[in-house]
Amino acid sequence: MPALRWHRRSPAALHQLLAEDPGFFVKMLSLVFRAEDTEPEEVDAEALHRPSAAYSVLSTWRTVPGQDGDGRIDGPRLQGWLDDTELRLRQAERVAIGHQKIGQMLSGSPHDPNGTWPCRPVRDAIEKVGSRDLEIGLRTGVMNSRGLVSKDPSDGGASERAAPGTDQTRVEPIPRIW
């Protein structure tokens, strides 16, 4: 796990294991986040390596359970994974954070053939779970998918006011006064 910090590529094998094994997902989540309604514990520096590596894996995970090599999602497999995970999250007392991380993962789901996003099996799963935390996680995953962004400090925020997917601004930039 500590070697993951210096690995330039995503840990694909661990991502696939997360997508196949709900128990592994909950175990990784439990390394990083404490159970609901528990107090923080003192942890030595050596014990921080595993949670740090687990957080890194969970943060980059976008492999949807039930997804095949062509990117198609098997709805029943996804729903089975979610049902099993829900039970394990309740036992581990990590439902809210679990739903948020699942939402972040689902933000990497493919489009339907007609271009609708997310694809039908993911939309159905989101509706069935019906969790505000999952929706928050999905939104967070979409926002974070923008990746690292750098900009001209004298830009004045024009890129933030631009309509998504365009270079045009909706509001005139504030003129520079220096």
Side-chain angles (χ1 to χ4, degrees), residues 34 38-42:
R34 67 178 184 267
T38 60
E39 294 296 318
E41 299 174 5
E42 273 302 311

Side-chain angles (χ1 to χ4, degrees), residues 86-148:
E86 183 74 21
L87 292 171
R88 293 170 187 263
L89 287 171
R90 289 194 187 290
Q91 291 169 347
E93 299 179 9
R94 288 170 174 83
V95 175
I97 191 62
H99 282 180
Q100 287 181 26
K101 288 298 177 184
I102 290 168
Q104 289 177 30
M105 174 269 298
L106 291 175
S107 73
S109 65
H111 292 75
D112 272 335
N114 68 2
T116 306
W117 183 88
C119 62
R120 169 64 72 186
V122 171
R123 292 193 312 264
D124 291 345
I126 291 169
E127 290 294 321
K128 185 169 183 197
V129 172
S131 165
R132 176 102 171 105
D133 288 311
L134 191 140
E135 292 172 9
I136 289 169
L138 183 67
R139 188 175 322 119
T140 300
V142 169
M143 298 302 261
N144 289 347
S145 70
R146 185 175 180 197
L148 179 65

Side-chain angles (χ1 to χ4, degrees), residues 12 19 36 147:
E36 295 154 2

Side-chain angles (χ1 to χ4, degrees), residues 4-17:
L4 291 174
R5 277 187 272 152
W6 295 283
H7 201 277
R8 293 183 189 267
R9 295 176 40 184
S10 68
L14 291 175
H15 290 164
Q16 189 61 43
L17 188 56

Side-chain angles (χ1 to χ4, degrees), residues 32-118:
V32 181
F33 302 99
R34 67 178 184 267
E36 295 154 2
D37 299 326
T38 60
E39 294 296 318
E41 299 174 5
E42 273 302 311
V43 180
D44 62 24
E46 186 63 32
L48 289 176
H49 292 296
R50 286 175 38 192
S52 176
Y55 182 81
S56 175
V57 171
L58 288 169
S59 296
T60 58
W61 176 42
R62 298 294 181 272
T63 307
V64 179
Q67 189 170 7
D68 66 18
D70 295 328
R72 290 184 301 263
I73 308 272
D74 179 351
R77 276 185 54 208
L78 172 59
Q79 195 57 56
W81 186 92
L82 288 168
D83 292 343
D84 191 1
T85 300
E86 183 74 21
L87 292 171
R88 293 170 187 263
L89 287 171
R90 289 194 187 290
Q91 291 169 347
E93 299 179 9
R94 288 170 174 83
V95 175
I97 191 62
H99 282 180
Q100 287 181 26
K101 288 298 177 184
I102 290 168
Q104 289 177 30
M105 174 269 298
L106 291 175
S107 73
S109 65
H111 292 75
D112 272 335
N114 68 2
T116 306
W117 183 88

Side-chain angles (χ1 to χ4, degrees), residues 16-27 65 81 84-85 88:
Q16 189 61 43
L17 188 56
L18 287 167
E20 293 171 359
D21 185 354
F24 183 67
F25 167 67
V26 174
K27 182 182 250 182
W81 186 92
D84 191 1
T85 300
R88 293 170 187 263

